[in-house]
Every structure is written in structure tokens, then in C-alpha cells.
Amino acid sequence: MGLLSGGAAEAGQGQAIPAGLLGPPRSRRLQPQGSAPRSWIPTMVLKVFFPSCCSSADSGLLIGRWIPEQNSAVILAVVHFPFIPFQVKQYLSEVQKVSQVDIVVLGTWCNNKQEKEENLGKFLDDLGTIFSHEPWLQISKEKGSKFWSCHTLSRQADTPTEDQVILVYYDQRKVMLSRLHPPEISLDNQPGVITAPDASKLAAVFDTVAKSEVLFMTDRYDDGPIKLTHWQSEGVEASIIVELAKQASVPVCMLLTGLLSLVSGLCKSRIFKFWPVSFIWSKLSTCEQVRYRLEHLRFVFSNQKAENQNQLMRKANIFVSLLVDVALGILLLSWLYRKNRIGQLADALIPVADHVARELQDLLQWLMGVPAGLKMNRALDQVLGRFFLYHIHLWISYIHLLSPFIEMILWYVGLSACLGLTVVLSILSDIFALLTFHIYCFYVYGARLYCLKIYGLSSLWRLFRGKKWNVLRQRVDSCSYDLDQLFIGTLLFTILLFLLPTTALYYLVFTLLRLLVVIVQGLIHLLVDLIDSLPLYSIGLRFCRSYRLAAGVKFRVLEQEEGRPLRLLMQINPLSYGSVVQTYRLPTYSCYPKDTWGSLCKKLFFGELIYPWKQKGDKQD
Amino acid sequence: PYPEPSVRCEVVGWQKVLYERQPFPDNYVDQRFLEELRKNVSARKYQYWSVVFESGVVIQQLCSVCVFLVIWWYMDEGLLAPQWLFGTGLASSLVGYVLFDLIDGGTGRKKSGRTRWADLKSALVFITFTYGFSPVLKTLTESVSTDTIYAMSVFMLLGHLIFFDYGANAAIVSSTLSLNMAIFASVCLASRLPRSLHAFIMVTFAIQIFALWPMLQKKLKACTPCSYVGVTLLFALSALVGLLTISGVGAILFALLLLSISCLCPYYLIRLQLFKENIHGPWDEAEIKEDLSRFLT
């Protein structure tokens, strides 16, 4: 089964053929009407991948790799006359050793435009006996004609046979630099998408070109024993700054690694292991973010070489993400510290906190009356209301105690913006959590009380019916209670039942407030996560050099005529942005609640504490 | 219509077994089918006066509810001093406690293995918990409308009467639920009383009349049937008198109810027993008579 079969030729001039149409079953669908069906006798179709930069090269030898299982030849370069065959062989073996690719002489290339003597063709034929290769390709370009001819010489037949030959032009530079992303196998039914076996064949071609990088990286002005034509990189001299940066990066990386290990060693030291400190650390999102960034820095500046392309990409992504983060942070820093904005912020913060507290007081006063005409237990209502009012009073006095220092605290905290925007956002989230601590306390009190009532009521309801929960069998059993047990149980049941609406209302109101706070914090965290996880380098690569991330290839028909080889131009299909993000997304520390909506509602109903405290089961472990 | 059995088969004869191959369809039966029919196997012949005696339990329970409601009404109106009720209740409880042991000469206590210390503890628990919670009970239903409370109490007391263990062996009977409903109703009603002392004494009274009094009754009925009839009559009479002081029409209706339950209903039961026609036969489900509990160790 060929990667390309003659059927693809049916598509009209200049029309793009999706790469997925390249299998034999589909090519039958595209059977040509004009040409005789004789071309469909199952002969192996020979594919020649020809670098487009060599199409105007002088005559010479074609070197490249022969892929026998696909019956295709990937031509990498043209060796010009004059050359000494022994030197060519030596050179090729050297290249082979470095690149691990089986590079051989595949045939001859004849650019008739420059041909002086008629007998050169004969000479080229004879070369086949020196560099034995099976089959021996003879590609020639006619003068003044855009058609090319291609013969294959088989040693057995000893005569040039007119096999089906397809010439595929490829851009050597793009193919070498691009990275093929094989699509999901499940998609192979859709037309226009590469199927998995096709993809692996393409990957072999891409791999061949990418591995023979050493062939192209030689210096332009470095005269070797033989002259080659291929895509020429700029060489070492052109990128001297890059080279210098490479040289300099090693000590810088080592220095930074040392510093980072010092910092992380400090973080791991015993001072932070004690209970209150470690507890606070685990609750602050700033610490999480800083730890996450430290991990990133260590990864980027580690001395180990990236093992594969994926890891390299990941390093680049992390590095760019860090850079962008820090750049945004410094932008924010410069904005904040101009015109005393910190002072304004600090001045605004206290009134806002006061205002929130006053609103809460009003809310509590409303709850202590007859809220929405509900039948509340007056005594319990008063007790709860006064308790919460006292709490607010405490909170306000605490804030006022803190107010002279707030500007200073903000000033120092603002300096952390040079660590990156995400750190600032995390700090903002933490400050928000601290400023709404009273709401959190109310929520916890309300939830605990409500939870107590709900569980008490459910078990007392079982007692009311003369049942009990059997822990061993995990079911409700009937049970005979004593008289005093029954009496006390029913008394408590009645009391809890009549007090439930009051507690439930307080719980409802504070849960709504808490949810509001959690939503705001969640939005901040979402933003931080977005900055953390977005693969900016990959996206930039896709935007500027779209061929670097290839999803597949498409072919355009250049020439098609009876008796001549079909000429196709291979173009690279770039990966879509969605799959770029999906493939290169950086993993983030996720502190999201893992509940579904249903379980969240259930938890809310039963008064269990939601985010961010650990669940009951975790505590017991 | 069943297919006709062949001639040869009649010679063989039909057997009521399925484990042998017979030339009859599976659902074939012969002439002897109805020979095993029996009627009214478990029907009992009732004696009128014994039925009337048994209905005394229902009368007692109805009267208990009635007396409780009357006392509550008196307390709510302020016509009855709580101290007086408490004193009377305490005295009658002590008398009942002594009687409880005297009637069967202490055999019941020995059988249950309950000590006097446990009794005292139970009594202390009742008193302290009720007294401790009485201020809470007082304010418990302040904001709930009185009609709601009345409706709830009525439902609960009806439930108490329905689920009470009158001695019948039925699935609906649950003495736990019945007692709990009565206590719930009493707590609801007590929360309507003017002071917390009233509430405390009302709930204590509810325990006495709904929990302790039926226990004494059961023992009375089992040991001294004659005195049980006397006590029932006295109790019914006092309930009627109490109701009469509140509402004459209510008293008459209640008296009619009691009469119909104790006299008319037994009469009807015996009359209707004549029309009973229960048939039993080989078509019944198999019944396991043997005691299988030895397999269940």
C-alpha cells in the first residue's frame, strides 16, 4: 500500500488534495476518465520526495534515503560535479554515523538547461554502476519545458522502465523544523484526515529529514571536498548571539539552580514544619503559587538536557509563561507605585471593610426581626443575632486596630509583584479571604449548628418511629427503647423540630454570603490558572511559524500529463489552536472542589462544610 | 374445558402428584377435588360479655385522652393550680407504684429483673429533663399559630389512639410510635400554657397518664379482672364528668361513643361473625407448621 498512489493525480491543477485521500481504496474512487485504465494495473508506485530548493541545482548525484517498505525515496541533497566517488562514499558514511540515517546515493540528477554535451546522459547512466543502488533513479529536467522526466533503472531488467513515478516537492527547511502531531485514531473515518498508518508513513519521511539536520548545518563558506546543494542554514556565524547565549546559559543556569536549591532547602527547613505554620501555609494560595513557580524555575534551569522534543517544548512554554507573568507583574508594579496609588488603595480598603460590616449588621438586625414574615423562634433568634453582632463588633475593632499599618503592609506586599502577576493575584485572593473572615466564621457557625440539627433530627426521627440505625449492617432496624429514652428523645425531637427554621434561615443567609466570597476567589484562581497553564510559546510558534507544529500534510498537483511523472507539492497543515493548547497545556496545582453539582447541593443541604476545608473523611484518615 | 382423558388412563387412575408422568394435563383434577374443602377453620365463637370486657382497653385509652385534654383546658383557663395537679399526680403515682408491685406479689418485677434504683433513676430523669427544658418549651411555639398547634395535637393524639397496642396482633401496632406521638402532642399543648411551671407539670402529667397508667392497667386486667372493670367504669365516669363541666354536648357525644364502643360494637361483631365464610382446601399456599428455629442457630 503506497502512501501516494496515482489516483491522487485525478484532482485538477492546483487543487489541494487532503492527505487523507492517499490510500488505495479512496484512490479508486478518483479513477481518471480520460486516461486509460491501464495505469491501474497494480504496479508499485514509486514516490520521490524532492527538495524544492534543489530544482535549479546543477547536475549531479542525488543522495538521500531509500525507504523500501513504502517504495519511496527521500532525496536530501545533490552532489555536484566534479567529485571523486571515494570521497563521496566517505562523506556519506561520516554523515551516516552522526545522523543515524541510512543515507546513500540514490541516482542522478540532470539539469538539461546547463547541459553542454549530449553524452553526459550516458555518463550519468554509467555512474549507476559505481554507486550501486536498486533502483537507480534518473531524474532530469528538460530545457524550456516545465515537465520533468524520471526513469528508474533496474539492474535485473537493465533497461529504463517507465514505472509509475510521483515526484513530491517538499520544503526542506519547513519539513526539517516541523513536528508532526499524529491525530487521534478514532477520527480515521472522516475524509480529509490522515489515518494512523498514513501518519506513521509520513512520520518516517519527516523523521528522515529532521535527523539529517547535520547535513544542512555545515557552514556556507566551509569548502569541503565535495559540493552539495540543499537547503542551507545560516551556519554558526550567523547566529553568534545565540551561540554566545548558549555558552553563557550554562553557568547562569548552574548559579540559579544553586540559589533555587538554597531557597527550597530553606522552605523545607524545620521551622515551617510545626503545626500552626504548616497549617497556615497549606491554606494560603500565595504559598501554593510561589511553590508552583519555584518548581517551574527549577525545571527550567535544571542542568539536565531536555530528553525529547516534548520536554523541550514544555521548558520553553514554562519559560515564556514565567517571562510574561513577571513582565505583567512589573507593569502592575510600575502602575501601583506611581502617584501614591498604594496609599489611595489603603485608604479605600478600611471604609469598604466598614461598609461590608455595616451591611452585615443591617442584615442581622433584619434577621432578628420577622424576616420575610417567617415564623422564627424569637428567643433563639435573639441569641444567634446577638452572638453574630458581637462577632462583627470584634471584627471591626480588629480592622481599626490594624488600620495604621495597612498602608505599610500593602506597600511591602506590592513589592511581590516582581515575582509575577500570578503571585499578586494569589495575594489578592488571600487578602480577600482574610477581609471576609467574619463571613467565613458565620458560615462555619451556621453550618455546624444546622448540621447538628439535621443529624439530630434524622436520628431522633428514627427513634420517634421506634427504629435505629444499625451500623454493622448499614440499615435501619427496629429497636425497643426504654421509656425514659423514648421520652427524652421525643422531647428533644420536638424542640429541634420547632427550632429548625430559625437555624436554617441563618444558615441559608450565611451560606449565600460565603458562596459569593468563594465565587470571587474562584474567579481569581481561574485567572491565575489561566496564566499558569497557557502554553504561550507553543501558541506563539503556531502564530508566527505555523509549519513548526504540523497536524498533517496536503498535496497540490503541479503537473499532470500522460506519460510523465506526476508532480505534487507537499504543504504542511498547521495544528489548530485548540489542539495546540490541549497538547501543550501545563499542569497546574488544582485546589478546586472535586464535587459535582449534585453532591455540592447535597452537602449544602446537610450542612457539611464546603470548600476550602478538608472533608470529614480526609480528617479521619 | 379440560381435554377428555383417554380410556386407558381411566383404568390407570389419576394421582395428585407431579413427579410421575400421567396421561392427564397438568391442571387436571378428578371428582374428589372438593372433598377436602373446609370452612371457617380459624373462626372463633365470641361470648358477648367477654368481648365487652376486652373493649375496656379502648375505653380506657379514649378516657385517658379525654382526661388529658380536660386537664389541659383547665390549666389553660387558669382554673386549676399547677401545684395541686402536681400533688395529685405525685400521690396517685406513688399509690399506683405500690399497687403495681402488690397486685402480682412482685413476680413481674423478679421476672423483668428491674431494680428500684432503676425506677428512681427513670423518675429523676423525667423530672429533671422536663424541668430543665420547661422554659424552652414555654417559648418554643410562640410564633406558631395556635390553630396549627391544635391541629398538630389532634393529629398526634389520633395517631396515638390508632397505633396503641390494644392487644391485637396487627402490623400497624407500634407502642413506641404511639407513646411518642402522645408525648409530642403533650409538648405542643404544654407550650401554649401561660408559664413554664404549667408546661413542666403538664408534660409530667402526660407521662403519667400515657406511659405509666397503661402499664398498671395491663397488670390489673391480667391479675384482678373484677377490679379492672370497676376501675374502667370509674375512670370513664370521671372523664365524662370532667367533660360535662366544659361542654354538655361534648359529654353526651363522648358518652354515646363510649357506649357504642363497649356495647354496640361487640354486638355487631358477634352478629357479623355468623356471615363469615372462609374456605380452606388443597389450593391454599403451603404452611410450615414445624418450628424451624432450631435450624437458625
Side-chain angles (χ1 to χ4, degrees), chain A residues 119-363:
Chain A
N119 59 351
L120 185 61
K122 184 78 186 80
F123 167 63
L124 289 175
D125 283 350
D126 294 340
L127 279 173
T129 54
I130 304 171
F131 302 101
S132 54
H133 188 260
E134 183 69 26
W136 185 252
L137 292 171
Q138 285 184 321
I139 302 174
S140 59
K141 190 172 158 191
E142 284 168 29
K143 190 192 284 180
S145 160
K146 60 181 180 178
F147 293 112
W148 293 32
S149 67
C150 184
H151 306 279
T152 55
L153 200 68
S154 188
R155 194 116 315 153
Q156 283 88 12
D158 223 4
T159 47
T161 49
E162 288 289 326
D163 261 344
Q164 283 282 313
V165 176
I166 298 175
L167 277 170
V168 181
Y169 292 88
Y170 68 94
D171 191 324
Q172 213 162 28
R173 176 166 160 268
K174 286 185 178 177
V175 170
M176 190 194 90
L177 290 174
S178 85
R179 222 173 138 238
L180 203 60
H181 294 75
E184 298 298 316
I185 292 172
S186 60
L187 295 172
D188 63 0
N189 289 334
Q190 296 173 9
V193 177
I194 296 179
T195 55
D198 281 347
S200 70
K201 284 172 186 170
L202 258 184
V205 175
F206 273 62
D207 200 39
T208 305
V209 182
K211 272 187 181 163
S212 44
E213 188 186 0
V214 64
L215 203 64
F216 316 127
M217 283 303 165
T218 48
D219 239 343
R220 180 179 291 182
Y221 308 106
D222 186 13
D223 274 340
I226 48 176
K227 277 187 191 162
L228 292 165
T229 295
H230 46 69
W231 166 67
Q232 180 62 54
S233 71
E234 299 295 313
V236 180
E237 288 94 341
S239 53
I240 192 129
I241 297 170
V242 175
E243 285 301 315
L244 275 177
K246 271 184 190 167
Q247 294 297 323
S249 71
V250 175
V252 168
C253 279
M254 277 174 72
L255 187 72
L256 279 172
T257 312
L259 272 176
L260 285 172
S261 60
L262 195 71
V263 169
S264 55
L266 267 179
C267 288
K268 279 184 188 140
S269 68
R270 200 168 286 175
I271 307 168
F272 299 104
K273 287 274 164 64
F274 287 124
W275 177 72
V277 181
S278 66
F279 182 74
I280 290 170
W281 269 59
S282 68
K283 293 300 169 218
L284 287 182
S285 55
T286 313
C287 296
E288 289 282 337
Q289 181 62 29
V290 166
R291 198 173 299 150
Y292 179 72
R293 278 301 185 208
L294 234 111
E295 198 74 22
H296 273 177
L297 278 172
R298 285 174 74 183
F299 181 71
V300 169
F301 293 117
S302 69
N303 290 330
Q304 283 151 4
K305 206 169 182 302
E307 280 156 19
N308 50 24
Q309 198 72 20
N310 254 339
Q311 217 166 13
L312 190 74
M313 208 66 164
R314 187 153 169 249
K315 266 192 178 183
N317 275 327
I318 289 175
F319 189 66
V320 171
S321 154
L322 266 170
L323 275 186
V324 167
D325 191 16
V326 169
L328 284 175
I330 287 175
L331 218 68
L332 186 73
L333 195 74
S334 66
W335 183 80
L336 268 182
Y337 285 81
R338 215 179 295 151
K339 295 183 193 164
N340 193 24
R341 282 213 175 81
I342 288 275
Q344 292 167 14
L345 207 67
D347 289 343
L349 208 59
I350 295 294
V352 165
D354 266 351
H355 183 70
V356 170
R358 213 174 308 119
E359 288 290 321
L360 274 177
Q361 268 174 341
D362 286 350
L363 183 73

Side-chain angles (χ1 to χ4, degrees), chain A residues 375-377 464 484 488 490, chain B residues 122 125 130 139-140 143 180 207:
Chain A
K375 305 271 170 64
M376 313 265 282
N377 187 283
F464 193 83
D484 38 359
I488 292 168
T490 311
Chain B
S122 285
V125 164
T130 321
T139 57
L140 193 61
S143 56
N180 283 332
I207 298 165

Side-chain angles (χ1 to χ4, degrees), chain A residues 323-552:
Chain A
L323 275 186
V324 167
D325 191 16
V326 169
L328 284 175
I330 287 175
L331 218 68
L332 186 73
L333 195 74
S334 66
W335 183 80
L336 268 182
Y337 285 81
R338 215 179 295 151
K339 295 183 193 164
N340 193 24
R341 282 213 175 81
I342 288 275
Q344 292 167 14
L345 207 67
D347 289 343
L349 208 59
I350 295 294
V352 165
D354 266 351
H355 183 70
V356 170
R358 213 174 308 119
E359 288 290 321
L360 274 177
Q361 268 174 341
D362 286 350
L363 183 73
L364 281 173
Q365 294 287 357
W366 177 70
L367 283 177
M368 282 165 74
V370 186
L374 287 171
K375 305 271 170 64
M376 313 265 282
N377 187 283
R378 198 175 45 80
L380 182 67
D381 205 16
Q382 293 290 327
V383 167
L384 284 178
R386 282 197 200 131
F387 174 71
F388 287 128
L389 278 180
Y390 178 64
H391 213 284
I392 289 180
H393 171 73
L394 272 184
W395 181 249
I396 288 183
S397 21
Y398 165 67
I399 290 266
H400 280 267
L401 206 70
L402 207 66
S403 57
F405 310 104
I406 277 195
E407 188 175 346
M408 203 174 67
I409 291 172
L410 277 184
W411 201 87
Y412 283 115
V413 162
L415 285 180
S416 67
C418 55
L419 289 179
L421 184 65
T422 51
V423 176
V424 176
L425 283 176
S426 302
I427 288 176
L428 188 70
S429 158
D430 284 341
I431 287 178
F432 189 67
L434 276 179
L435 284 184
T436 55
F437 190 67
H438 47 332
I439 291 179
Y440 179 70
C441 284
F442 292 168
Y443 166 69
V444 172
Y445 301 148
R448 282 281 177 240
L449 210 59
Y450 178 77
C451 184
L452 196 78
K453 290 228 158 141
I454 285 284
Y455 277 99
L457 268 178
S458 69
S459 72
L460 287 176
W461 170 241
R462 284 194 287 269
L463 177 135
F464 193 83
R465 291 176 303 144
K467 303 275 169 67
K468 70 164 182 187
W469 177 251
N470 190 336
V471 187
L472 295 179
R473 298 197 175 189
Q474 294 287 303
R475 65 171 191 197
V476 175
D477 278 349
S478 60
C479 171
S480 66
Y481 290 96
D482 284 346
L483 197 60
D484 38 359
Q485 284 174 333
L486 281 182
F487 172 69
I488 292 168
T490 311
L491 198 68
L492 287 177
F493 177 77
T494 318
I495 292 170
L496 287 185
L497 189 70
F498 280 106
L499 294 185
L500 181 69
T502 314
T503 328
L505 187 71
Y506 273 86
Y507 172 67
L508 181 75
V509 169
F510 291 131
T511 304
L512 287 180
L513 282 177
R514 175 70 192 150
L515 281 181
L516 200 73
V517 172
V518 166
I519 285 170
V520 170
Q521 272 190 297
L523 285 179
I524 293 176
H525 277 257
L526 218 63
L527 196 62
V528 169
D529 248 21
L530 190 74
I531 298 174
D532 275 348
S533 69
L534 215 57
L536 287 170
Y537 177 72
S538 304
I539 290 173
L541 212 59
R542 167 68 184 82
F543 186 68
C544 303
R545 305 247 190 288
S546 56
Y547 57 84
R548 288 288 297 270
L549 302 170

